[in-house]
Amino acid sequence: MPSSSPAREHPGATRRHAVQRPRRRGPYLVALTLSGLLAFTGAGMVLAYQSVQGKVATHDLDEILGRGQDAAGPGGSAGQTPAPDDPLDGRAYNVLVMGSDARSADNEVDYGFAGGMRSDTNLIVHVAADRSRVDVVSIPRDLLVDVPSCPLPDGRQTAPMAAGSSDNGTRFNAAFAYGGQTGDVAYAAACTILTTEAMTGLHIDDFVVVDFDGFVEVIDAIGGVQMCFEDDINAPKANLEIHAGCHRLDGDTALGVARARVGVDDGSDISRIGRQQQLFSAIADEVLGSNLVTDTPALFRFLQATASSMTTSERIGNLSTMGGLAYSLRHLDTSHVTFTTVPFDWAGNVVVQNADGEPLWESLRDDEPMVLPPAGDDEPHSGNEGPADQEAPEDGRTDGDADESTLDARTDGADDLLAGARA
């Protein structure tokens, strides 16, 4: 973890940045799916399979977005007969993984009340068609983006929102808040997918949303996770206080590490992304390096916690599909799993995607090895608490000509949700 340093001003938006984490263990999703596959093929746990499958909350993404199933992608075509082990065999695969802190009554006691939904962790996971590599791109929550019109469960559409160019612009995690303003996680994910597709030109095949409570249960089910820290961390808003050194973190502490922003390092979402990537790698190391697969009771607890923590689209939420995908990655060398972050320039207390983004997205669209941006200046961002405390933007949010089927993005408490998305 980077050491804390005195605040320094960024000289405008001329510097380019991207957090790169190449040659790290596979992402959390790969670890979970691989464990699931080995559990059910090695132990023959048919009843356990049924029990775990019933805990996964799945949703028909294609129905929500009004698009046909199995859209063609690089390396495959609609209607292609897949291999029996991997229903997605022969095609590149993109899944959007989101960490949601929609608060339950229990964790409101620990973390404070915050109405609505937020997604402060957003990862594009790209699996190559030949299963030779996995590329993971973190999307900063404070990245300014255009949010397109999104569907709501009652048939209405939200009004599109313009990115803007300053602290009062539209941040990426506003998509989750606005799509989920009725409380439906699947529609929150769908709006985030539409925003991601518009920004990248990628087709997102599936989604996985992991919630607060489930994350805690998963970490506790594997007996905690080992992490080392160079400095003390005191982040009251994340309910986290930890001393420098190496520690085995329980679920609540690991969640605090994943959430901590205010009062840690430079207080930016960018520094939090670096810690989150370290945590995800530590989780994968723990799962893949333990005897979890051969310890049936521990494995079952892990799978139960994993399943109950996830809301997914139908395909990836099917454990057979999940297991088949993991099995197809069984020979993947960890040097071919790469983390990076959307290339960005600072714009006050927010960030904007810069010109290095397009080569990155083009390589993923073409299913080629990910084109990493040039090594960035990793100087910490010196900001204040502006990203969390700015008032909701007044521009680029409404559609005065919208008919009754279009929901003004600022109605029904949506401004409150957006303010929460900045916390």
Side-chain angles (χ1 to χ4, degrees), residues 315-374:
R315 177 169 40 200
I316 193 61
N318 183 296
L319 293 184
S320 295
T321 300
M322 198 182 295
L325 176 62
Y327 188 70
S328 72
L329 293 168
R330 66 194 181 281
H331 299 307
L332 181 69
D333 190 286
T334 55
S335 66
H336 295 148
V337 178
T338 305
F339 285 93
T340 193
T341 300
V342 174
F344 65 88
D345 294 330
W346 288 103
N349 289 310
V350 293
V351 296
V352 294
Q353 184 177 203
N354 62 39
D356 292 326
E358 180 51 31
L360 170 65
W361 305 132
E362 183 178 12
S363 65
L364 294 180
R365 291 194 299 264
D366 293 341
D367 195 29
E368 297 292 337
M370 185 162 61
V371 175
L372 294 173

Side-chain angles (χ1 to χ4, degrees), residues 400-415:
D401 298 325
D403 59 27
E404 292 181 357
S405 66
T406 302
L407 179 69
D408 186 324
R410 295 189 300 162
T411 63
D412 294 344
D415 274 344

Side-chain angles (χ1 to χ4, degrees), residues 43 69 88 90 123 136 139 146 183 229 233-234 237 246 255 260 267 281 323 343 366 376 409:
Q69 194 172 16
L88 303 166
L123 307 170
V136 184
I139 305 174
D146 294 324
F229 304 88
I233 297 178
N234 183 20
K237 286 190 174 182
C246 295
L255 177 61
S281 293
D366 293 341

Side-chain angles (χ1 to χ4, degrees), residues 50-57 303-305 307-310:
Q50 294 173 343
S51 173
V52 172
Q53 181 66 76
K55 289 183 175 294
V56 181
L303 292 173
Q304 290 274 57
S308 63
S309 75
M310 296 192 303

Side-chain angles (χ1 to χ4, degrees), residues 31-41 299 302-303 323:
L32 299 187
T33 54
L34 179 59
S35 298
L37 170 79
L38 294 175
F40 295 120
T41 58
L299 177 60
F302 172 73
L303 292 173

